[in-house]
Amino acid sequence: MIVVIKKDQEKKQVQNLISWVEKLGLKVHLSEGENTTIIGLVGDTSKVDIDLIRTLDIVESVTRVQEPYKNANRKFHPADSIIDVNSCKFGGNHFQIIAGPCSIESEKQVIEVAMACKKAGATLLRGGAFKPRTSPYSFQGMGVDGLKLLKKAKAETGLPIVTEIMSEEHIDDFEGVDVMQVGARNMQNFDLLKRLGKLKTPILLKRGIAATIEEWLMSAEYIMSEGNPNVILCERGIRTYETYTRNTLDLSAIPVLKERTHLPVIVDPSHALGISRFVKPMSLASVGAGADGLMIEVHNDPAHALCDGAQSLRPEQFEDVVTSLRAMLPAVGKELN
Ligand code: PEP
Ligand code: MN
């Protein structure tokens, strides 16, 4: 339910209303914009007498929200959410480029790639330590040792780091990680989502392999309803009948999400297409569609990468993508960092 407050009302009266609905056992999502104050009510709103609220002097209007996602709903929070990761802002007119290897393989590899990504213009560094592989016989990632190397690369470059968490049992090892990624395969690992909701660390929530946009937003809702508002959505391709690409990049999800949610949306063209030469055109297309950032896999020796070499750009190819992005961003009113 959404309660729109009339302009220039006394804060105390707004607070009285909030306390009253909280006593009914509802959670309140307050959005104070320049012109409008909106109180979003989350929970079992059947207990609320909608007509009674309508008659209050300070209330402009009351409407029931049909969508099952509330905290993530743009109706609750009309302005874009801006999520600050060590001064790298996601959302609004900001644009971020997360780059780095699929997996952390050695100290030399991750530091070399991190330096090259920074030089080329990346604003955050990625690297997987815990890898969700289809086969149990494939490289599973370096685990905790990999996390240590990624933190070393952060110290060397100053770039904030993004890495995937697969299980809540590792949360303590993620101290010092700036963005925790929930991968496509874990988008509906509800216990993990609820646990991450207890943190304040920004969560990069990838779209599930066969998830609808609404299912994806409901997963964001799991994190947000536990108290963590810092969710960044990442479109990474969905499974379709197409076989010429690894997945099908659903660029239409971007404008649809922008209408329905205030959360930032980024695109991972590397996992979406699975082929390095298609990363540049789809990166530019993502900007055109309104993305707030990109996540791109970069490796110094893709031919020998332990994971996802075919979709990884060499540093000079990545630099070429960034050059084109820089030229394009002003046209859509966005700024790199
Ligand atoms: C990744 O980013 O390393 C990854 C495994 O991505 P996804 O979950 O989108 O497959
Ligand atoms: Mn990968």
Side-chain angles (χ1 to χ4, degrees):
M1 189 179 284
I2 290 181
V3 182
V4 179
I5 303 296
K6 284 182 190 155
K7 230 179 149 205
D8 301 327
Q9 297 302 308
E10 267 182 44
K11 274 208 156 58
K12 191 168 171 288
Q13 283 192 292
V14 176
Q15 198 48 55
N16 285 346
L17 175 56
I18 291 174
S19 309
W20 179 67
V21 290
E22 279 178 343
K23 275 198 199 113
L24 294 174
L26 295 169
K27 282 195 181 150
V28 167
H29 180 121
L30 182 65
S31 169
E32 287 177 297
E34 263 183 31
N35 296 313
T36 15
T37 296
I38 292 175
I39 305 175
L41 310 186
V42 187
D44 180 7
T45 53
S46 61
K47 296 172 228 164
V48 180
D49 183 343
I50 192 164
D51 293 323
L52 183 68
I53 299 186
R54 269 197 193 113
T55 57
L56 298 176
D57 284 345
I58 60 166
V59 171
E60 172 89 42
S61 64
V62 189
T63 38
R64 287 204 185 271
V65 175
Q66 302 302 328
E67 295 86 359
Y69 49 91
K70 311 291 177 191
N71 289 278
N73 203 317
R74 198 181 271 283
K75 287 179 186 160
F76 275 36
H77 189 293
D80 286 350
S81 267
I82 312 274
I83 297 177
D84 195 323
V85 181
N86 278 0
S87 303
C88 290
K89 295 189 171 72
F90 286 81
N93 63 350
H94 306 278
F95 194 88
Q96 301 299 335
I97 305 175
I98 307 170
C102 178
S103 314
I104 298 147
E105 299 171 8
S106 68
E107 178 166 347
K108 185 171 179 297
Q109 174 248 13
V110 72
I111 303 276
E112 254 181 54
V113 178
M115 300 279 223
C117 286
K118 180 171 184 184
K119 188 168 157 277
T123 51
L124 294 96
L125 174 68
R126 66 152 284 148
F130 297 94
K131 296 302 305 174
R133 304 303 302 275
T134 301
S135 165
Y137 309 119
S138 302
F139 174 57
Q140 302 286 306
M142 290 182 72
V144 176
D145 290 340
L147 282 182
K148 287 185 190 146
L149 297 181
L150 189 64
K151 289 177 201 169
K152 217 166 185 176
K154 170 180 170 174
E156 293 266 335
T157 58
L159 294 176
I161 50 176
V162 182
T163 191
E164 178 163 352
I165 180 148
M166 284 173 55
S167 160
E168 51 184 299
E169 78 187 55
H170 297 130
I171 280 186
D172 291 344
D173 298 314
F174 277 66
E175 177 78 43
V177 168
D178 301 287
V179 179
M180 292 189 191
Q181 174 176 322
V182 174
R185 291 154 192 84
N186 268 319
M187 188 204 84
Q188 289 189 315
N189 181 341
F190 300 120
D191 285 341
L192 178 63
L193 300 178
K194 280 193 244 179
R195 183 66 187 81
L196 297 178
K198 305 262 187 251
L199 310 176
K200 284 287 177 266
T201 312
I203 308 298
L204 182 69
L205 180 64
K206 288 192 140 194
R207 182 178 187 175
I209 286 166
T212 64
I213 293 173
E214 187 164 295
E215 286 165 343
W216 188 10
L217 286 171
M218 290 311 289
S219 291
E221 197 69 21
Y222 262 97
I223 300 168
M224 299 175 86
S225 62
E226 293 291 335
N228 186 351
N230 303 315
V231 179
I232 302 161
L233 301 167
C234 179
E235 162 62 39
R236 47 77 72 205
I238 47 172
R239 171 111 6 128
T240 67
Y241 45 80
E242 184 49 65
T243 56
Y244 279 7
T245 51
R246 185 175 178 182
N247 294 287
T248 298
L249 180 56
D250 181 14
L251 284 181
S252 58
I254 303 169
V256 172
L257 284 166
K258 286 278 157 191
E259 189 175 274
R260 291 181 173 267
T261 180
H262 50 89
L263 296 174
V265 185
I266 71 164
V267 173
D268 170 353
S270 306
H271 289 90
L273 284 98
I275 300 166
S276 62
R277 68 179 180 283
F278 298 140
V279 169
K280 181 175 176 180
M282 298 321 284
S283 295
L284 299 178
S286 302
V287 172
D292 297 303
L294 287 161
M295 170 137 109
I296 296 177
E297 285 190 344
V298 179
H299 199 286
N300 50 358
D301 184 8
H304 296 100
L306 294 182
C307 184
D308 287 350
Q311 67 195 32
S312 299
L313 299 183
R314 291 192 311 275
E316 65 275 18
Q317 294 172 313
F318 172 63
E319 192 164 3
D320 170 57
V321 177
V322 177
T323 303
S324 297
L325 288 169
R326 281 193 202 279
M328 193 171 169
L329 286 168
V332 294
K334 293 228 178 235
E335 244 181 283
L336 188 57
N337 213 359

